[in-house]
Amino acid sequence: MAAPVHLDPRLLRAFVTVAEELHFTRAATRLYVAQQALSRDVRRLERDLGSELFVRTTRQVTLTADGERLLPYARAVLQAQDDLLAAAGQARPLLVDLNSPGLATPRRVLHRARELAPAHELMARYESGLTGAAGELLAGRLDASFGRFAGLAPALRAGLDQQPVRHEPMGVVLPEDHPLAALIEVPLAALAGETVYAGAGNPRTPEWTDLARSLFEGRGITLASPAPLAVGEEEFQRIMARTRHPILAVVDFPPLPSTVLRPLVDPVPLSPVSLVWRKGMTHPALDALRRAAAVVAAEEGWLRRPDGGWLPERDIVVMAAR
């Protein structure tokens, strides 16, 4: 192998990831890049070194002898880079907003990220909604959050990046003695004439209320007027028990006493969930969080839209940006 004057660490990371996966598609998924871009990076590294690093066939990818020799050195260089970033203050805890306790989607991504990056501290926070979290992200007081990116104001979106995570089916929380509680699934048409709570008036969750408003439009469903802002699960349950309004939710919404959760159908409304962080932010644990989101989404098929699934057009555009 020739000794180039300069080696781009990004090319070394591409090489190491392919060497670990021995599969370009899986490696590209880990690095959040297109497979073609990853192949170009590996070939560029091979040109810089003057040596072929992989044997590629239609069935498999294997390391050449030169690739085997390079691998431990490449890992050492990347570890040194990570150590340098840590020394520069990059190893502080990553503060991750999970919206609310009990929501399954962000919690599962966080748990997988902790498995992928056990040396880094990822700490949970609860900001209730993405709009509430966005200001904290931009101010640097929070590092990542989850929610409906298309529902943010343009000024907030301009300073943030996002990665689609899930098209989460929506449901409705009903008092257990509500007539619709006897159904296994609730057709949207059955909610005509109902007044449904969707967070109206909560300054932290207008993106959710806007999604509900779009869903209810033309279906005879009334958006419930703002209720007193309830802080904490007990207060929320008390206010909802008094109003007895059905509550628009996602299918993984945590259970509430004296209520039932029923999925909505005909069509299946979807809540678009993205992982969101501040533009330009770098942190090794953020890389792990993004990788975890991609892995769990692929394992669970979270980004597949069900036939006939309902989603506003602007959300379709955002969720297609992978």
Side-chain angles (χ1 to χ4, degrees), residues 102-292:
L103 290 180
T105 298
R107 188 177 72 251
R108 288 187 61 186
V109 172
L110 176 62
H111 286 178
R112 181 61 64 87
R114 286 170 173 163
E115 293 172 358
L116 294 174
H120 296 290
E121 184 64 72
L122 293 91
M123 300 200 63
R125 295 289 187 269
Y126 301 98
E127 294 291 336
S128 179
L130 185 56
T131 297
E136 299 297 292
L137 291 170
L138 294 172
R141 292 187 292 267
L142 193 66
D143 297 313
S145 186
F146 294 83
R148 183 189 173 219
F149 190 72
L152 293 178
L156 294 175
R157 291 201 307 269
L160 300 170
D161 271 329
Q162 66 97 25
Q163 175 181 322
V165 174
R166 185 178 186 184
H167 292 109
E168 187 164 11
M170 296 163 71
V172 62
V173 178
L174 301 160
E176 58 188 2
D177 58 353
H178 192 283
L180 296 177
L183 300 177
I184 297 175
E185 301 174 324
V186 175
L188 271 172
L191 289 177
E194 295 280 353
T195 297
V196 179
Y197 178 74
N202 185 342
R204 291 181 168 274
T205 61
E207 71 282 355
W208 176 254
T209 305
D210 175 72
L211 184 66
R213 189 176 288 110
S214 298
L215 177 64
F216 296 168
E217 186 176 3
R219 290 188 165 93
I221 307 170
T222 300
L223 181 68
S225 300
L229 183 58
V231 178
E233 183 177 318
E234 184 176 341
E235 281 297 282
F236 180 78
Q237 292 173 4
R238 185 180 65 81
I239 294 295
M240 291 300 101
R242 183 167 59 80
T243 64
R244 291 187 54 79
H245 290 317
I247 304 167
L248 187 68
V250 292
V251 292
D252 286 333
F253 193 76
L256 297 175
S258 303
T259 67
V260 295
L261 174 61
R262 297 291 183 256
L264 290 167
V265 294
D266 300 330
V268 175
L270 302 171
S271 170
V273 180
S274 290
L275 171 62
V276 182
W277 65 94
R278 186 172 59 260
K279 275 187 177 176
M281 179 189 163
T282 59
H283 192 297
L286 177 62
D287 296 339
L289 193 67
R290 293 189 61 192
R291 186 161 73 251

Side-chain angles (χ1 to χ4, degrees), residues 91-105:
R92 62 175 178 77
L94 191 79
L95 304 181
V96 184
D97 169 41
L98 305 187
N99 301 147
S100 298
L103 290 180
T105 298

